[in-house]
Amino acid sequence: MKESKQLTKAETQVMQALWSLPAEGALSAEIMERMPEPKPALTTLLTFLKILKDKGFVTSQKEGRGQRFHAEVSREAYTRTYMKEVKQTFFGGSFTSLVSFFAKEEQLTDADISEILRIIEKK
C-alpha cells in the first residue's frame, strides 16, 4: 500500500467486511453479508471492490462465474499507516501531542490509565 492511499468511509466499510472474513478471501455475496445496514446494491459493492483493486487494497481471482476477493493490505498495516498520517497531519509528528489530545478528549478511567502506563512500561 502506498502511503498516500486512503480509504473513503464506504471503502472502509467494504474493507472491514473483507477483513472480518477468512484469509482465503470471499465472494461478493459473502462480503455483502458482512456489510452494515443499509447494505449497498450489489453493483455498488462491485464498484467499490474495483476501486479498492485499483488502489492496491484488494486482489481477486476468477472463481466460477464470479471472483474471490482478498485483502491485499491487512487491517493492522492500514491502521499503522493511517495513524502515522494522522499524527503527522494533526499533531506535527508528535506522539506526545497525539496521546495528550486523546487523554484530554476521552473519559479515561483509572483502570484505563493504569493499563496505558503498563503498556508503556512494558515497551
Side-chain angles (χ1 to χ4, degrees):
M1 177 184 71
K2 294 189 174 148
E3 294 288 322
S4 63
K5 303 279 181 156
Q6 288 194 0
L7 299 172
T8 65
K9 182 178 178 180
E11 291 165 353
T12 300
Q13 289 177 332
V14 175
M15 289 302 297
Q16 292 283 6
L18 195 52
W19 285 325
S20 74
L21 289 158
E24 62 268 10
L27 301 171
S28 57
E30 296 168 314
I31 298 168
M32 182 67 83
E33 289 174 7
R34 301 290 178 109
M35 293 295 293
E37 294 291 342
K39 294 184 187 302
L42 180 58
T43 55
T44 302
L45 175 61
L46 292 171
T47 298
F48 284 130
L49 287 164
K50 181 187 179 321
I51 291 167
L52 289 165
K53 282 177 64 174
D54 292 344
K55 286 184 169 184
F57 284 93
V58 171
T59 59
S60 68
Q61 63 190 71
K62 189 89 168 129
E63 185 171 303
R65 291 179 41 193
Q67 293 184 68
R68 181 163 294 276
F69 296 92
H70 305 268
E72 187 68 17
V73 176
S74 71
R75 180 189 318 248
E76 294 77 15
Y78 181 72
T79 301
R80 187 177 308 107
T81 299
Y82 183 80
M83 290 306 297
K84 282 180 182 179
E85 289 180 15
V86 167
K87 182 179 76 167
Q88 188 60 42
T89 301
F90 297 103
F91 302 99
S94 169
F95 178 74
T96 303
S97 294
L98 180 138
V99 171
S100 176
F101 171 81
F102 283 107
K104 291 175 189 170
E105 290 295 315
E106 298 294 317
Q107 300 295 325
L108 298 176
T109 65
D110 288 342
D112 293 333
I113 293 168
S114 294
E115 178 67 10
I116 291 167
L117 290 173
R118 186 188 66 74
I119 291 168
I120 291 169
E121 289 170 354
K122 197 174 177 181
K123 174 97 169 109

